[in-house]
Amino acid sequence: MPSLVKEGSDVDIDSAAHDYASCPEDSPPAISDDKTEVIRWPRLATKATTPISRLRSRVVYLFWLCVVALCFGSLSIGMIQQEAVGTVLQRVGSCIHGNEFEGLEAQAILGEHAPAQSGDTDLDPMSYVHGASTESFRENLIPGERYITSWSYAGWTNDFIAYSNLLYLSTISSRIAILPPFPPSLSHIGKGGKFTPFSEVFDLPRLRKDLAGLGARIVEWKDVKSEGSPVVDELGCWSVSAGTEPNGKGSYMKNALTDHLSLDVSYVATPHVPLDPVDTSHTSFWSLASLTFPETRRALLSLARQPALASFPSKLRGHLSPPNEQLACFDVMYFVGATKTYEWQQEFSPAWRFIGSKIKWNPTLQDITVGYLKRALGAVDVDPLPPLITIHARRGDFAQLCRADTAPEDCLAPISAYARRVKQVQDELFDRKGILIPAERVVVTSDEQDEEWWGEIEKNRWKRFDHKSEQTVNRYGKWYPALIDAVAQSMGTGFVGTARSTMSLVAQRRVEDWNDGVTREVKFGSKGADEKD
C-alpha cells in the first residue's frame, strides 16, 4: 500500500515519487486500511516569502516534476519487457481491483510472472472440503463447489503425465482437482506394492502455492474419502478412451483405482473429437473442458443425443448414471493434448510448461536420494553435490518392443551407444559452461537385472545404486528404488535417456528446465539404431 500522505503536507521526494508511480493519476483515492479518512495525492509545500526561497521552491518543484516524468518513462519503457508488464499490471490491478487478477486469463497476460493470489487459507486443502475424510465422498464435497478427477494409466511416469494433464484441465475448467494416489504397477513396483499418495512423492504444499496464480485448487482423494471405506459410491464418469474411437466402437479404460477408492463407476463416451485425423488416440483439453460446463453437458446428455454416445454400466451394481455434474471425472487423462498427439515430447507442451515443470519432489524423498548419490559417488562429506551426468537405460520390458526376428542383444541399445551420448553431453557442458564431468561422476539407473551388464558399466568407471546392499525396499518400501532413481535422474547437469521411454522423457524435461542441463537420448530397435547421427 502507498505511504499515507495528507494533502498539503511536506513530502519526502523519494517516497512521494514511489507513491505517485504506484497508481495512475486517474485512479480513485486510496483509503487507509485502519482509517476511514480519504487520502489525497501529495502536494509539495511551495510557500515562499523571499526571492531566494521562491527560487529554491521552484527548483524543488521542477525536480519533483522530473522525478514523476522519469517514473512514468521507466514504466512505459518497462512495458516492452514481459517482467515489467507483470509489474505494471499488478500495480494497476492493486489500485483499481485490489489485485483480483485470477486464473489462466491473468497468466496469459502476465506470463510466468503472475503472482500467486491465494491467501494461506485458500491453500489449505481442508478449505475445499467439509472437513476430515468421510466414508462417502459426497458427504465431504461442498455444495456449490465443482470438482474434477481421473484415474491412472499404465505405469508411474505415465500416471505422472496423466495427473499433470488433469491439473491443467482443472485450471481451464475452474474446478478443484482431486488427485488420486499412484497405484503399484507390476512393471515398475512389482506385486505387493501399496497405493502411494501423490504428496508422498511430490511437494504438494509447494505446488499449491506455485499454481495459485493459475487459480489451481488441489486436494487428494485421501482428503475427501476415508481409505478402506466400506461405503461403495456410485458415480457416473466420462470415458475418454471410448471417445477416441469413432462410431462408439471404443471401450472405457478399466482401472484398479476405482476398486481401491470404493467406487462403482459407469461411463458415457466423450464425443469423438480427435486431435489428429489419422491417429485418433488423443483428444483436446478444451473438448474435455467443455463437458464440465452445465449447458454443454446437458446438451450432450439430452434424450435426442444420448443414443449417439456409447454408455457402459458399472461392473458391481450395473447402474448407468450420467456423468456427475459436481464431480466431473474421466477414465484416463494420458491421451490428451492442446494441438498434438503425445504432446509431452514437444518443448511447447502446455501441460508440462504450466503444470509438470512446477511439480517438485517431496523434500524427504529428495534428501534420501542425495544420500544415495553421495554414497555412490564416494562424496559423503561433499556439500553440495558436484555436477554429475545421469543415465536412464531402459531395458527389461523394452525387449517386448523388439521385432520377433531380432535378438534382444541386437535390438536393445548397447552400452557403447550410451557411452557415445555421454561423451557428447560432456563436450557440450564443457563448451557451454566450462564444466568438466569425469566418468567417475556418471550415475547409471536401469531396470536391467543382468550382473554381467552391470559389470560392463563398472568398466566405464560409471557409478550405480546398489539397492540390495542399501536395503532400499526394507527401509522405505517397494516404491523407493524407482522413486530414488527418478529423483537422481532429475539432479544431473547432464542426462542420457532411452528413446520412447516416458521416464527418460520426463527426466530430460526436468534436467533441461530445472538445471539448464544438456540431454541426449539413445535409440534402439535394430543393430546400430543409434549410430545414424
Side-chain angles (χ1 to χ4, degrees):
M1 175 126 185
S3 59
L4 304 180
V5 184
K6 296 182 180 179
E7 182 179 14
S9 62
D10 290 335
V11 179
D12 176 76
I13 290 178
D14 290 335
S15 65
H18 169 76
D19 292 346
Y20 199 77
S22 296
C23 293
E25 186 174 350
D26 59 352
S27 63
I31 298 178
S32 167
D33 292 333
D34 55 354
K35 297 180 181 180
T36 58
E37 179 182 6
V38 175
I39 308 301
R40 303 185 184 279
W41 293 116
R43 183 180 66 197
L44 289 174
T46 57
K47 295 179 180 180
T49 58
T50 67
I52 294 178
S53 60
R54 283 198 298 272
L55 178 62
R56 184 186 300 113
S57 66
R58 288 174 181 174
V59 170
V60 172
Y61 188 76
L62 289 173
F63 180 75
W64 164 241
L65 290 178
C66 290
V67 169
V68 172
L70 287 173
C71 288
F72 273 104
S74 66
L75 288 177
S76 299
I77 294 172
M79 288 178 70
I80 299 174
Q81 302 173 353
Q82 183 180 20
E83 182 174 357
V85 169
T87 304
V88 171
L89 289 179
Q90 187 178 2
R91 285 178 180 176
V92 174
S94 177
C95 295
I96 300 176
H97 301 295
N99 261 348
E100 292 179 355
F101 286 95
E102 294 180 348
L104 285 178
E105 292 82 0
Q107 184 69 31
I109 297 172
L110 301 177
E112 294 188 1
H113 298 280
Q117 300 299 336
S118 297
D120 293 338
T121 301
D122 295 333
L123 296 176
D124 182 0
M126 291 299 100
S127 66
Y128 308 143
V129 291
H130 275 307
S133 58
T134 52
E135 291 193 340
S136 171
F137 77 83
R138 286 185 173 86
E139 298 173 359
N140 217 358
L141 303 187
I142 298 174
E145 290 285 8
R146 300 189 306 163
Y147 302 81
I148 190 168
T149 194
S150 68
W151 321 132
S152 59
Y153 175 73
W156 173 63
T157 307
N158 292 350
D159 294 343
F160 169 78
I161 292 174
Y163 295 177
S164 298
N165 288 346
L166 168 64
L167 289 172
Y168 185 79
L169 182 62
S170 77
T171 62
I172 65 175
S173 61
S174 301
R175 286 177 173 258
I176 298 169
I178 305 179
L179 287 175
F182 293 111
S185 63
L186 291 176
S187 59
H188 289 72
I189 309 302
K191 293 182 178 180
K194 69 170 186 174
F195 286 79
T196 299
F198 186 93
S199 56
E200 184 175 331
V201 181
F202 299 107
D203 191 344
L204 191 49
R206 176 177 178 176
L207 181 64
R208 289 188 178 105
K209 292 180 180 179
D210 290 346
L211 296 186
L214 291 177
R217 297 170 294 166
I218 309 169
V219 294
E220 295 183 89
W221 264 101
K222 67 182 183 66
D223 301 322
V224 178
K225 183 172 182 176
S226 302
E227 294 186 280
S229 169
V231 176
V232 177
D233 288 304
E234 294 183 357
L235 180 64
C237 295
W238 295 100
S239 174
V240 179
S241 176
T244 58
E245 294 292 334
N247 304 318
K249 294 181 180 179
S251 181
Y252 72 93
M253 187 77 67
K254 297 179 181 179
N255 202 289
L257 271 174
T258 55
D259 291 338
H260 174 72
L261 298 171
S262 298
L263 300 174
D264 187 29
V265 182
S266 65
Y267 293 95
V268 172
T270 58
H272 182 61
V273 187
L275 271 180
D276 188 292
V278 178
D279 180 359
T280 63
S281 61
H282 286 62
T283 190
S284 73
F285 283 110
W286 275 108
S287 67
L288 298 185
S290 68
L291 303 177
T292 69
F293 290 89
E295 291 185 11
T296 303
R297 175 183 172 276
R298 281 195 296 270
L300 284 170
L301 297 177
S302 65
L303 293 177
R305 296 177 178 238
Q306 180 71 16
L309 300 177
S311 57
F312 309 90
S314 69
K315 69 176 185 178
L316 290 181
R317 299 170 181 166
H319 74 87
L320 190 55
S321 303
N324 194 275
E325 185 166 12
Q326 184 178 23
L327 174 55
C329 52
F330 300 88
D331 61 346
V332 60
M333 283 296 300
Y334 181 81
F335 297 100
V336 187
T339 62
K340 286 183 174 291
T341 60
Y342 302 104
E343 199 166 63
W344 276 62
Q345 298 176 10
Q346 308 297 325
E347 62 183 354
F348 60 79
S349 164
W352 164 255
R353 290 183 59 239
F354 293 110
I355 305 295
S357 64
K358 308 297 190 295
I359 302 177
K360 304 301 176 65
W361 301 113
N362 180 302
T364 300
L365 175 60
Q366 183 161 308
D367 288 345
I368 291 172
T369 304
V370 169
Y372 273 70
L373 283 169
K374 286 185 174 183
R375 291 190 290 276
L377 296 171
V380 176
D381 298 325
V382 176
D383 193 23
L385 278 170
L388 63 145
I389 294 172
T390 54
I391 296 175
H392 175 231
R394 181 79 173 266
R395 292 179 61 82
D397 59 342
F398 266 25
Q400 302 171 12
L401 302 179
C402 298
R403 290 169 41 182
D405 60 352
T406 305
E409 58 269 22
D410 292 331
C411 171
L412 298 176
I415 293 175
S416 59
Y418 288 94
R420 186 171 73 91
R421 296 298 188 180
V422 166
K423 180 64 166 58
Q424 292 176 352
V425 170
Q426 289 172 316
D427 291 346
E428 185 173 341
L429 282 172
F430 185 75
D431 292 341
R432 263 182 54 188
K433 299 189 172 189
I435 298 175
L436 181 62
I437 300 181
E440 291 81 4
R441 293 213 304 269
V442 176
V443 178
V444 180
T445 62
S446 178
D447 57 352
E448 180 59 68
Q449 302 298 313
D450 184 1
E451 286 300 324
E452 289 187 12
W453 185 87
W454 282 108
E456 292 299 315
I457 292 294
E458 293 173 359
K459 288 180 182 179
N460 282 279
R461 293 177 292 155
W462 297 345
K463 307 301 181 183
R464 64 179 287 196
F465 295 147
D466 189 343
H467 288 295
K468 289 183 179 178
S469 64
E470 290 270 12
Q471 297 187 337
T472 303
V473 173
N474 291 336
R475 292 168 66 191
Y476 303 111
K478 288 193 172 184
W479 273 91
Y480 277 75
L483 295 179
I484 290 169
D485 285 359
V487 178
Q489 292 160 15
S490 73
M491 298 180 74
T493 306
F495 173 75
V496 176
T498 303
R500 297 159 65 184
S501 165
T502 53
M503 190 171 193
S504 285
L505 171 64
V506 174
Q508 176 184 348
R509 290 276 174 264
R510 289 169 176 148
V511 169
E512 290 172 351
D513 288 6
W514 293 356
N515 310 336
D516 189 29
V518 175
T519 68
R520 294 291 191 278
E521 68 173 15
V522 174
K523 300 178 182 65
F524 71 99
S526 61
K527 194 168 185 177
D530 196 59
E531 297 175 0
K532 298 176 182 178
D533 59 0

